[in-house]
Amino acid sequence: MLTWIERIRQWFAEEDKNSDMVIDEKWEIQEINGDPNRFAVSHVNLPFNIGIYVNSDTAHINVYSNLETADWDVRDQRDIYRDLLRQNKRDLFVKYYLTGENDTVALRTEIDLEYLNKTEFNDALQAVIVSSIWLLRKMGLLEEEPCSPDK
């Protein structure tokens, strides 16, 4: 029987072009510091990596933004923190938080392993992706490409 971390790795590794789930797309998997309970995934269409961590009862999906807010002006900190708290209320599945000494903005969702299945994991992954894109747009770090007839 596969462990949860092995099962989740397998979901990312098995590309299915006939599926409409984001987890069935082509993902690259990277080890994180040799920890068997952690890995990161990347996708050619995403400008960020997604961290996966599994403990005894929970799977965590994380994105770290590299936006260090500790040295920001107090007014700028207040504005982004207010926006993140408001977004926490709207996005009940994903939570924004600060991490590290430099108050880096990050987000994550946690999923109970007791009833976890691939569809639920896919839904959580999609929520993290959408929330990460919102954050990058909010911070002006994601440029929108205009639509053109050539594309």
Side-chain angles (χ1 to χ4, degrees):
M1 174 125 178
L2 294 175
T3 65
W4 275 111
I5 193 76
E6 292 167 333
R7 187 174 303 162
I8 293 169
R9 277 179 185 264
Q10 187 175 37
W11 292 339
F12 278 107
E14 295 174 343
E15 183 180 1
D16 181 357
K17 294 182 182 193
N18 296 319
S19 173
D20 61 352
M21 293 197 303
V22 71
I23 195 154
D24 287 329
E25 294 183 13
K26 182 174 175 52
W27 292 90
E28 297 294 324
I29 300 172
Q30 301 101 28
E31 299 296 321
I32 298 179
N33 300 327
D35 185 340
N37 294 318
R38 296 178 191 271
F39 64 96
V41 295
S42 59
H43 189 282
V44 68
N45 293 326
L46 296 176
F48 50 84
N49 289 339
I50 300 170
I52 310 296
Y53 170 69
V54 178
N55 63 22
S56 61
D57 57 353
T58 310
H60 305 258
I61 305 174
N62 302 284
V63 172
Y64 298 94
S65 71
N66 294 325
L67 294 169
E68 297 178 347
T69 63
D71 293 333
W72 288 14
D73 178 74
V74 173
R75 181 180 298 242
D76 293 335
Q77 286 178 340
R78 183 197 64 208
D79 291 345
I80 189 61
Y81 298 163
R82 181 184 319 130
D83 288 342
L84 294 175
L85 288 171
R86 286 179 176 156
Q87 200 66 14
N88 274 345
K89 184 173 179 163
R90 284 185 206 112
D91 292 343
L92 299 178
F93 205 36
V94 174
K95 293 300 173 208
Y96 298 86
Y97 63 101
L98 302 176
T99 185
E101 293 178 15
N102 294 320
D103 293 337
T104 301
V105 177
L107 59 103
R108 78 170 174 221
T109 191
E110 300 172 353
I111 313 158
D112 191 321
L113 295 176
E114 186 172 353
Y115 303 107
L116 181 64
N117 59 48
K118 187 175 180 180
T119 301
E120 182 181 13
F121 190 87
N122 180 75
D123 292 348
L125 179 64
Q126 279 186 261
V128 166
I129 291 169
V130 168
S131 297
S132 297
I133 291 170
W134 172 85
L135 178 62
L136 292 175
R137 282 188 180 135
K138 179 75 180 161
M139 300 308 299
L141 299 173
L142 187 65
E143 293 183 25
E144 296 293 325
E145 291 187 27
C147 294
S148 71
D150 300 338
K151 290 186 178 182

